[in-house]
Amino acid sequence: MKNNLLLFVSVCLLLFASNVAGAELRTWTAGTYKVEAEFVSFDETAKTVRLKTNNGKNVAVALDKLSNEDQLFVESQNKKQDENPFKIESQDNPISGKLNKRNVTELNELTNLPIDVLIVKAEKGDADAQLELAIRYYIGDACGIYRNNDKAVEWCQKGAKHADTGSVAGLICKGVLYDKDFKHHFNSSFGKDLTEMVDSTSYYRKAAETGDPRGQLILGLKLIETKDNKMEGIDWIKKSVEQRYTPAYLLFGLYYRYGGDDAEAFNWVHKAAEKGDVKAMHYLGYCYDHGDGILRDNAEAIKWYRKAAEQYRKAAEQGHIETQCFLGELFYNNEIGDEKEAVKWFRKAAEQGFAPAQDKLGRCYELGNGVPINYKEAIKWYRKAAEQGYAAAQRTLGDCYKDGEVVDKDYAEALKWYHKAYKQSGSSITAIAIGDCYFNGGFGISPNYTEAVKWYREAANDGYRDAEYRLGNCYLLGHGVAKDKAEAVKWFRKAAKQKHKEAIAQLKELEIEIE
């Protein structure tokens, strides 16, 4: 394919699919895998062929996995696609405002700075670093840290203070603070000091019009969510891509991912990963690991997970505890699985008091992953995390006391930790566990059906089938409520519609149709 084939051809192809040649249904062969699909496009950077199956699903396949016949077919279609009339400016002459190539290079480097270095810059008042930190804490996992909305808000507020000085990062931060979409994602903790929400787009547009690729990207992402401004949004993202701003590739990929086009998402994420974006490397490993937009390929998954791990390791070895724990998870959960290495990093962060790492180290001791099973150590680390207010550990500790496998059964102690966890998380699963303790009684507490019904109802109203079934039983048997067969049937049916086996059996026993 010609060297000047434009990055945005794939987007053009998506928008103008009726103009794509070669839209014939044929059988494609990749090893033992066969699929009936139409050819859509070939991505030169990712070396992947995009196909559309007869049921409308998009899938990407690595070119070198295809049969020789299929590869020749792709080559013939490429020649036709090179004649596609939808063109944009050459990448050698990207449009830019006040920024030059060096500025964009520095911004790309900022996106891959180790978290500890970034925090130092942000604490010194660097608005660009403050914006980057806010983004990382909002995104969470893919950045090698844990999502933390409060910290995202905190750094966004600090960055917004620079808006009046003409800082582009400050303008973007201020726009985010006024953005009702971000307010929704951050829930009530976001924008709580604002008396009203104003039009955030004006701030993004000011930033974009300076030529800053970050402003162009966020404005584009904002506009493509609206029906009337979708094409303008794509144009702004295109400008960010033309400046070779790496996060534009990744976020455009995620845009397609959430839009249900996994194959197109994969192609853009691959571009970002090839350009050195560690977040994209991690996500690309996930794509290959789970067959997300591409055929599963363990070797490729390991390759990209290891590339991401190498980048995370740099920050972890500098002592950043969040990245140490996250690196442990990368070794624990994925195809590069090395449980002993995972325990090593969990322990480093746990011994510095990082609650998520303490919780995960406790699980390793409970399950014998990377260390011999040691229930005493498991409880020790769960408790350390729980006492710091970490909801996941509080619920796990509650489970330990409720189930009696890791420690002696003690429903009173279980309820103590369940209530703490529920107060923080509002988890329906925790609510069901609380209801079970009250319903069964014993091990330090007396049965209390009224309380059990209260907690089952809490989870049932959220649509949890186990709670719906339990609440139906309470109405059927008159436990904690007056007997009411009609009400019992109502809740059994709700659970049965979610394929709850016991609820289905109960309706059959009552000779009631599921509906």
Side-chain angles (χ1 to χ4, degrees):
M1 191 175 286
K2 297 177 182 177
N3 291 333
N4 65 347
L5 186 62
L6 304 172
L7 278 174
F8 217 66
V9 162
S10 55
V11 177
C12 294
L13 288 170
L14 179 66
L15 297 174
F16 303 101
S18 61
N19 293 323
V20 176
E24 62 182 76
L25 195 66
R26 63 193 305 277
T27 302
W28 297 80
T29 304
T32 59
Y33 178 81
K34 291 183 182 293
V35 61
E36 292 285 323
E38 297 174 2
F39 172 80
V40 178
S41 63
F42 173 66
D43 188 282
E44 174 69 18
T45 303
K47 301 293 182 188
T48 56
V49 181
R50 184 178 172 201
L51 307 174
K52 185 176 182 179
T53 63
N54 54 10
N55 63 2
K57 184 178 180 180
N58 286 299
V59 62
V61 184
L63 181 67
D64 61 6
K65 301 290 184 183
L66 291 172
S67 67
N68 290 335
E69 181 185 347
D70 288 338
Q71 291 184 31
L72 289 172
F73 180 84
V74 171
E75 184 179 342
S76 70
Q77 297 307 310
N78 270 346
K79 292 177 182 178
K80 296 178 183 179
Q81 286 190 7
D82 279 342
E83 300 168 1
N84 189 290
F86 303 101
K87 303 288 185 181
I88 60 174
E89 286 189 42
S90 166
Q91 292 180 66
D92 295 328
N93 297 290
I95 23 179
S96 60
K98 297 178 181 179
L99 294 182
N100 54 40
K101 187 174 180 179
R102 181 181 177 187
N103 295 127
V104 178
T105 300
E106 289 173 351
L107 291 176
N108 281 335
E109 290 173 351
L110 186 69
T111 65
N112 282 328
L113 274 183
I115 187 73
D116 54 325
V117 176
L118 194 63
I119 288 173
V120 170
K121 289 174 69 71
E123 287 176 342
K124 289 181 178 179
D126 186 312
D128 295 309
Q130 290 167 343
L131 172 60
E132 176 65 20
L133 262 184
I135 292 170
R136 291 196 195 185
Y137 277 116
Y138 173 63
I139 295 175
D141 289 0
C143 299
I145 58 176
Y146 292 91
R147 185 171 184 175
N148 188 318
N149 288 346
D150 290 336
K151 286 187 177 181
V153 172
E154 175 190 342
W155 286 111
C156 211
Q157 288 171 333
K158 289 180 178 179
K161 292 177 182 178
H162 299 273
D164 295 337
T165 68
S167 163
V168 175
L171 283 172
I172 295 172
C173 284
K174 197 161 187 177
V176 170
L177 285 175
Y178 284 115
D179 195 323
K180 66 178 184 296
D181 292 329
F182 280 98
K183 181 177 174 65
H184 168 72
H185 289 302
F186 282 134
N187 298 319
S188 59
S189 67
F190 191 77
K192 57 189 175 186
D193 58 337
L194 301 176
T195 56
E196 60 179 330
M197 306 302 285
V198 299
D199 181 18
S200 60
T201 308
S202 61
Y203 291 98
Y204 300 150
R205 193 175 293 278
K206 285 179 184 178
E209 288 173 349
T210 68
D212 187 289
R214 296 168 301 179
Q216 294 168 341
L217 176 60
I218 195 167
L219 177 62
L221 291 171
K222 181 75 175 174
L223 293 176
I224 59 177
E225 294 298 325
T226 62
K227 181 179 179 181
D228 295 338
N229 299 309
K230 191 179 186 75
M231 292 308 298
E232 183 190 356
I234 288 176
D235 285 341
W236 280 111
I237 296 174
K238 187 162 54 175
K239 290 178 181 180
S240 185
V241 169
E242 285 171 345
Q243 295 200 66
R244 299 192 181 112
Y245 182 50
T246 305
Y249 295 80
L250 175 60
L251 290 176
F252 208 22
L254 294 178
Y255 162 70
Y256 279 110
R257 170 72 176 83
Y258 294 124
D261 192 339
D262 292 346
E264 190 68 16
F266 172 85
N267 286 335
W268 285 96
V269 172
H270 200 290
K271 290 180 175 76
E274 290 285 4
K275 289 178 177 295
D277 189 303
V278 65
K279 299 180 286 295
M281 292 175 188
H282 185 184
Y283 186 58
L284 193 58
Y286 175 89
C287 290
Y288 277 114
D289 193 358
H290 296 271
D292 202 343
I294 189 76
L295 292 179
R296 289 190 69 176
D297 188 325
N298 289 350
E300 282 294 307
I302 290 171
K303 166 187 163 184
W304 288 105
Y305 279 142
R306 287 198 181 281
K307 282 179 178 285
E310 287 167 10
Q311 297 299 317
Y312 292 143
R313 190 187 295 274
K314 293 176 184 177
E317 288 175 345
Q318 293 296 317
H320 189 264
I321 57 177
E322 285 196 42
T323 310
Q324 288 173 343
C325 184
F326 197 83
L327 184 58
E329 280 204 70
L330 198 58
F331 282 111
Y332 187 86
N333 291 325
N334 300 307
E335 288 291 344
I336 59 172
D338 184 337
E339 292 177 350
K340 289 184 178 179
E341 187 73 5
V343 168
K344 165 189 165 182
W345 291 108
F346 287 151
R347 191 182 305 281
K348 282 181 181 288
E351 289 176 347
Q352 295 178 75
F354 190 52
Q358 293 170 336
D359 178 52
K360 295 176 195 312
L361 186 57
R363 187 163 299 279
C364 288
Y365 275 112
E366 180 185 352
L367 302 177
N369 293 331
V371 288
I373 289 177
N374 187 326
Y375 291 155
K376 185 177 179 180
E377 280 292 298
I379 289 293
K380 180 185 89 172
W381 289 108
Y382 285 147
R383 190 178 297 279
K384 282 179 179 288
E387 287 175 347
Q388 290 194 68
Y390 188 57
Q394 290 171 336
R395 193 178 85 191
T396 299
L397 202 53
D399 288 340
C400 290
Y401 281 107
K402 175 175 174 282
D403 299 336
E405 294 180 7
V406 178
V407 69
D408 290 340
K409 276 191 181 184
D410 186 334
Y411 279 5
E413 191 69 9
L415 282 172
K416 166 187 162 183
W417 291 109
Y418 281 146
H419 280 297
K420 287 178 181 288
Y422 186 82
K423 185 176 180 180
Q424 290 194 77
S425 66
S427 163
S428 292
I429 295 173
T430 304
I432 294 171
I434 293 173
D436 286 345
C437 288
Y438 282 121
F439 188 90
N440 295 323
F443 305 102
I445 68 165
S446 300
N448 187 328
Y449 294 143
T450 303
E451 275 295 299
V453 166
K454 167 188 166 183
W455 288 100
Y456 290 153
R457 192 183 304 280
E458 192 77 26
N461 286 336
D462 283 340
Y464 277 74
R465 64 181 188 175
D466 287 340
E468 291 168 344
Y469 170 70
R470 285 165 167 77
L471 189 56
N473 262 336
C474 289
Y475 276 108
L476 185 66
L477 301 173
H479 287 160
V481 287
K483 278 189 178 183
D484 188 331
K485 184 178 178 181
E487 192 69 10
V489 168
K490 180 185 91 172
W491 289 106
F492 286 146
R493 277 177 169 161
K494 285 179 179 287
K497 285 178 181 178
Q498 297 190 65
K499 304 188 186 306
H500 192 283
K501 292 181 180 179
E502 289 85 351
I504 293 170
Q506 187 67 68
L507 287 171
K508 287 181 178 177
E509 186 176 327
L510 294 171
E511 299 181 345
I512 301 288
E513 293 289 332
I514 295 175
E515 286 188 353

